[in-house]
Coordinates of all heavy atoms in Angstrom, one line a residue:
F34 N -59.4 -19.6 106.2 CA -58.6 -19.3 107.4 C -57.5 -18.2 107.0 O -57.3 -17.2 107.8 CB -57.9 -20.4 108.0 CG -58.8 -21.3 108.8 CD1 -59.1 -22.5 108.2 CD2 -59.1 -21.0 110.1 CE1 -60.0 -23.3 108.9 CE2 -60.0 -21.8 110.8 CZ -60.4 -23.0 110.2
F35 N -57.0 -18.3 105.8 CA -55.9 -17.4 105.3 C -56.6 -16.2 104.6 O -56.1 -15.1 104.8 CB -55.0 -18.2 104.4 CG -54.2 -19.2 105.2 CD1 -54.7 -20.5 105.3 CD2 -53.0 -18.8 105.7 CE1 -54.0 -21.5 106.1 CE2 -52.2 -19.9 106.6 CZ -52.7 -21.1 106.6
N36 N -57.5 -16.5 103.7 CA -58.0 -15.4 102.8 C -58.7 -14.4 103.5 O -58.7 -13.2 103.1 CB -58.8 -16.0 101.7 CG -58.0 -16.9 100.8 OD1 -56.9 -16.6 100.5 ND2 -58.6 -18.0 100.3
R37 N -59.4 -14.7 104.6 CA -60.2 -13.7 105.4 C -59.2 -12.7 106.1 O -59.6 -11.6 106.2 CB -61.0 -14.4 106.4 CG -61.9 -13.5 107.2 CD -62.8 -14.4 108.1 NE -63.2 -13.4 109.1 CZ -63.5 -14.0 110.4 NH1 -63.3 -15.3 110.7 NH2 -63.9 -13.2 111.4
L38 N -58.0 -13.2 106.6 CA -57.3 -12.3 107.5 C -56.1 -11.7 106.7 O -55.6 -10.7 107.2 CB -56.7 -13.1 108.6 CG -57.8 -13.6 109.6 CD1 -57.3 -14.5 110.7 CD2 -58.5 -12.4 110.3
I39 N -55.6 -12.3 105.7 CA -54.4 -11.8 104.9 C -54.8 -10.9 103.9 O -55.5 -11.3 102.9 CB -53.6 -13.0 104.5 CG1 -53.1 -13.8 105.6 CG2 -52.3 -12.4 103.6 CD1 -52.4 -15.0 105.3
T40 N -54.5 -9.6 103.9 CA -54.9 -8.7 102.9 C -53.8 -8.3 102.0 O -54.0 -7.8 100.9 CB -55.4 -7.4 103.6 OG1 -54.4 -6.9 104.5 CG2 -56.8 -7.7 104.4
D41 N -52.6 -8.5 102.4 CA -51.4 -8.2 101.6 C -50.6 -9.5 101.3 O -49.7 -9.8 102.0 CB -50.5 -7.1 102.3 CG -49.4 -6.7 101.4 OD1 -49.1 -7.3 100.4 OD2 -48.8 -5.7 101.8
W42 N -51.0 -10.3 100.3 CA -50.4 -11.5 100.1 C -49.0 -11.4 99.7 O -48.1 -12.2 100.3 CB -51.1 -12.4 99.1 CG -52.2 -13.2 99.7 CD1 -53.6 -12.8 99.8 CD2 -52.2 -14.3 100.4 NE1 -54.2 -13.7 100.6 CE2 -53.3 -14.7 100.9 CE3 -51.0 -15.2 100.8 CZ2 -53.6 -15.9 101.7 CZ3 -51.2 -16.3 101.5 CH2 -52.4 -16.6 102.0
P43 N -48.5 -10.5 98.9 CA -47.0 -10.4 98.6 C -46.2 -10.2 99.9 O -45.2 -10.9 100.1 CB -47.0 -9.2 97.6 CG -48.3 -9.1 96.9 CD -49.3 -9.6 98.0
A44 N -46.7 -9.4 100.8 CA -46.0 -9.3 102.1 C -45.9 -10.5 102.9 O -45.0 -10.8 103.5 CB -46.5 -8.0 102.9
H45 N -47.1 -11.1 102.9 CA -47.2 -12.4 103.7 C -46.2 -13.4 103.1 O -45.5 -14.1 103.9 CB -48.6 -12.9 103.6 CG -48.8 -14.1 104.6 ND1 -48.9 -14.0 106.0 CD2 -49.1 -15.4 104.2 CE1 -49.1 -15.1 106.5 NE2 -49.3 -16.0 105.4
I46 N -46.1 -13.5 101.9 CA -45.2 -14.5 101.2 C -43.8 -14.1 101.5 O -43.1 -15.0 101.9 CB -45.5 -14.5 99.7 CG1 -46.8 -15.1 99.4 CG2 -44.4 -15.4 99.0 CD1 -47.1 -16.5 99.8
E47 N -43.4 -12.9 101.5 CA -42.0 -12.4 101.9 C -41.7 -12.8 103.3 O -40.7 -13.2 103.6 CB -41.9 -10.9 101.6 CG -41.7 -10.6 100.2 CD -40.4 -11.2 99.6 OE1 -39.3 -11.3 100.3 OE2 -40.4 -11.6 98.4
R48 N -42.7 -12.6 104.2 CA -42.6 -12.8 105.7 C -42.3 -14.3 105.9 O -41.4 -14.7 106.6 CB -43.7 -12.3 106.4 CG -43.6 -12.3 108.0 CD -44.6 -11.5 108.7 NE -45.9 -11.5 108.1 CZ -46.4 -10.5 107.4 NH1 -45.7 -9.4 107.2 NH2 -47.7 -10.5 107.0
L49 N -43.0 -15.2 105.2 CA -43.0 -16.6 105.3 C -41.7 -17.1 104.7 O -41.1 -18.1 105.1 CB -44.2 -17.3 104.9 CG -45.5 -17.0 105.8 CD1 -46.7 -17.6 105.2 CD2 -45.2 -17.6 107.1
T50 N -41.4 -16.5 103.6 CA -40.1 -16.8 102.9 C -39.0 -16.6 103.9 O -38.1 -17.5 104.1 CB -39.9 -16.1 101.7 OG1 -40.9 -16.5 100.7 CG2 -38.5 -16.4 101.0
S51 N -38.9 -15.5 104.6 CA -37.9 -15.2 105.6 C -38.0 -16.2 106.8 O -36.9 -16.7 107.2 CB -38.1 -13.7 106.1 OG -37.9 -12.8 105.1
F52 N -39.2 -16.6 107.2 CA -39.3 -17.5 108.3 C -38.6 -18.8 107.8 O -37.8 -19.4 108.6 CB -40.7 -17.7 108.7 CG -41.0 -18.9 109.6 CD1 -40.8 -18.7 110.8 CD2 -41.3 -20.2 109.1 CE1 -40.9 -19.8 111.8 CE2 -41.5 -21.2 109.9 CZ -41.3 -21.0 111.2
W53 N -39.0 -19.3 106.8 CA -38.5 -20.7 106.3 C -37.0 -20.5 105.9 O -36.3 -21.5 106.1 CB -39.3 -21.2 105.1 CG -40.6 -21.9 105.6 CD1 -41.8 -21.3 105.5 CD2 -40.7 -23.1 106.3 NE1 -42.8 -22.1 106.1 CE2 -42.1 -23.2 106.6 CE3 -39.9 -24.1 106.7 CZ2 -42.5 -24.4 107.4 CZ3 -40.3 -25.1 107.5 CH2 -41.6 -25.3 107.7
E54 N -36.6 -19.5 105.3 CA -35.1 -19.3 105.0 C -34.3 -19.3 106.3 O -33.4 -20.0 106.4 CB -34.9 -18.0 104.3 CG -33.4 -17.8 103.9 CD -33.2 -16.5 103.2 OE1 -33.9 -15.5 103.5 OE2 -32.3 -16.5 102.5
S55 N -34.9 -18.6 107.3 CA -34.3 -18.6 108.6 C -34.3 -20.0 109.3 O -33.2 -20.4 109.8 CB -35.0 -17.7 109.6 OG -34.4 -17.7 110.8
S56 N -35.3 -20.8 109.1 CA -35.4 -22.0 109.7 C -34.6 -23.0 109.0 O -34.0 -23.9 109.7 CB -36.9 -22.5 109.7 OG -37.1 -23.8 110.1
L57 N -34.4 -22.9 107.8 CA -33.7 -23.9 107.0 C -32.2 -23.6 106.9 O -31.3 -24.5 107.0 CB -34.3 -24.2 105.6 CG -35.7 -24.8 105.5 CD1 -36.2 -24.6 104.0 CD2 -35.7 -26.2 106.0
F58 N -31.8 -22.3 106.6 CA -30.5 -22.0 106.3 C -29.8 -21.1 107.4 O -28.7 -20.9 107.3 CB -30.4 -21.3 105.1 CG -31.0 -22.0 103.9 CD1 -32.1 -21.7 103.2 CD2 -30.3 -23.2 103.4 CE1 -32.6 -22.4 102.1 CE2 -30.8 -23.9 102.4 CZ -31.9 -23.6 101.7
L59 N -30.6 -20.6 108.4 CA -30.1 -19.9 109.5 C -29.4 -18.6 108.9 O -28.5 -18.1 109.5 CB -29.2 -20.6 110.4 CG -29.7 -21.9 110.9 CD1 -28.6 -22.7 111.7 CD2 -30.9 -21.6 111.8
K60 N -30.0 -18.1 107.8 CA -29.3 -17.0 107.1 C -30.0 -15.6 107.4 O -29.3 -14.6 107.5 CB -29.3 -17.1 105.6 CG -28.3 -18.0 105.1 CD -28.3 -18.0 103.6 CE -27.1 -18.8 103.1 NZ -27.0 -18.9 101.6
T61 N -31.2 -15.6 107.5 CA -32.0 -14.4 107.8 C -32.5 -14.4 109.2 O -32.6 -15.5 109.9 CB -33.2 -14.1 106.8 OG1 -34.0 -15.3 107.0 CG2 -32.6 -14.0 105.4
K62 N -32.9 -13.3 109.8 CA -33.5 -13.4 111.0 C -35.1 -13.1 110.8 O -35.4 -12.1 110.1 CB -33.0 -12.1 111.8 CG -31.5 -12.4 112.3 CD -31.0 -11.5 113.3 CE -29.5 -12.0 113.6 NZ -28.9 -11.3 114.5
Y63 N -35.8 -13.9 111.4 CA -37.2 -13.7 111.3 C -37.8 -13.2 112.6 O -37.5 -13.7 113.7 CB -38.0 -15.1 111.1 CG -39.4 -15.0 111.2 CD1 -40.2 -14.6 110.1 CD2 -40.1 -15.5 112.3 CE1 -41.5 -14.5 110.3 CE2 -41.5 -15.4 112.5 CZ -42.1 -15.0 111.4 OH -43.5 -14.8 111.5
Y64 N -38.5 -12.0 112.5 CA -39.0 -11.3 113.6 C -40.5 -11.5 113.7 O -41.1 -11.0 112.8 CB -38.6 -9.9 113.7 CG -37.1 -9.7 113.8 CD1 -36.4 -9.3 112.6 CD2 -36.5 -9.9 114.9 CE1 -35.1 -9.1 112.7 CE2 -35.1 -9.6 114.9 CZ -34.4 -9.2 113.9 OH -33.1 -9.1 113.9
G65 N -40.9 -12.4 114.5 CA -42.4 -12.5 114.6 C -42.8 -13.6 115.5 O -41.8 -14.4 116.0
N66 N -44.0 -13.8 115.8 CA -44.4 -14.9 116.8 C -45.5 -15.8 116.1 O -46.6 -15.4 116.2 CB -44.9 -14.2 118.1 CG -45.3 -15.2 119.2 OD1 -45.6 -16.5 118.8 ND2 -45.2 -14.8 120.4
P67 N -45.0 -16.8 115.4 CA -46.1 -17.6 114.8 C -47.1 -18.2 115.6 O -48.3 -18.3 115.3 CB -45.3 -18.8 114.1 CG -43.8 -18.3 114.0 CD -43.7 -17.3 115.1
L68 N -46.8 -18.7 116.9 CA -47.7 -19.2 117.8 C -48.8 -18.2 118.1 O -50.0 -18.4 118.1 CB -47.0 -19.6 119.1 CG -48.0 -20.2 120.2 CD1 -48.9 -21.3 119.6 CD2 -47.2 -20.5 121.4
E69 N -48.4 -16.9 118.5 CA -49.4 -15.9 118.8 C -50.3 -15.6 117.6 O -51.4 -15.5 117.8 CB -48.5 -14.6 119.2 CG -49.5 -13.4 119.6 CD -48.6 -12.3 119.9 OE1 -47.9 -12.3 120.8 OE2 -48.7 -11.2 119.1
V70 N -49.8 -15.6 116.4 CA -50.6 -15.3 115.3 C -51.6 -16.5 115.0 O -52.8 -16.3 114.8 CB -49.7 -15.1 114.0 CG1 -50.5 -15.2 112.7 CG2 -48.9 -13.9 114.1
H71 N -51.2 -17.7 115.2 CA -52.1 -18.9 115.0 C -53.2 -18.9 116.1 O -54.3 -19.3 115.8 CB -51.3 -20.2 114.9 CG -50.6 -20.3 113.5 ND1 -49.4 -19.7 113.4 CD2 -50.9 -20.8 112.4 CE1 -49.0 -19.9 112.0 NE2 -49.9 -20.6 111.4
I72 N -52.8 -18.5 117.2 CA -53.9 -18.6 118.3 C -54.9 -17.5 118.0 O -56.0 -17.8 118.2 CB -53.1 -18.4 119.7 CG1 -52.4 -19.6 120.2 CG2 -54.2 -18.0 120.8 CD1 -51.5 -19.4 121.4
K73 N -54.4 -16.3 117.5 CA -55.4 -15.4 117.2 C -56.3 -15.7 116.1 O -57.5 -15.5 116.0 CB -54.6 -14.1 116.8 CG -55.5 -12.9 116.4 CD -54.5 -11.6 116.0 CE -55.4 -10.6 115.4 NZ -54.7 -9.6 114.7
V74 N -55.7 -16.4 114.9 CA -56.6 -16.9 113.9 C -57.6 -17.9 114.4 O -58.7 -17.8 114.1 CB -55.6 -17.6 112.8 CG1 -56.4 -18.3 111.8 CG2 -54.8 -16.6 112.2
D75 N -57.1 -18.8 115.4 CA -58.1 -19.7 115.9 C -59.3 -19.0 116.7 O -60.4 -19.4 116.5 CB -57.4 -20.7 116.8 CG -58.3 -21.8 117.3 OD1 -58.9 -22.5 116.5 OD2 -58.3 -21.9 118.6
E76 N -58.9 -18.0 117.4 CA -59.9 -17.3 118.1 C -60.8 -16.6 117.2 O -62.1 -16.5 117.4 CB -59.2 -16.2 119.1 CG -58.5 -16.9 120.3 CD -57.6 -15.9 121.0 OE1 -57.5 -14.8 120.6 OE2 -57.2 -16.3 122.1
E77 N -60.3 -15.9 116.2 CA -61.1 -15.2 115.2 C -62.0 -16.2 114.4 O -63.0 -15.7 113.7 CB -60.3 -14.3 114.3 CG -59.6 -13.2 115.0 CD -58.9 -12.2 114.2 OE1 -59.1 -12.1 113.0 OE2 -58.1 -11.4 114.9

Side-chain angles (χ1 to χ4, degrees):
F34 288 101
F35 293 89
N36 293 323
R37 181 173 157 217
L38 296 175
I39 298 168
T40 56
D41 185 348
W42 273 99
H45 188 68
I46 296 299
E47 280 298 320
R48 189 168 33 259
L49 290 172
T50 298
S51 293
F52 171 82
W53 281 104
E54 183 184 29
S55 176
S56 179
L57 294 171
F58 301 114
L59 308 173
K60 282 189 174 183
T61 59
K62 293 191 178 183
Y63 172 78
Y64 299 101
N66 186 335
L68 177 57
E69 183 179 295
V70 170
H71 286 82
I72 288 171
K73 181 180 171 192
V74 169
D75 184 54
E76 289 171 353
E77 291 187 15

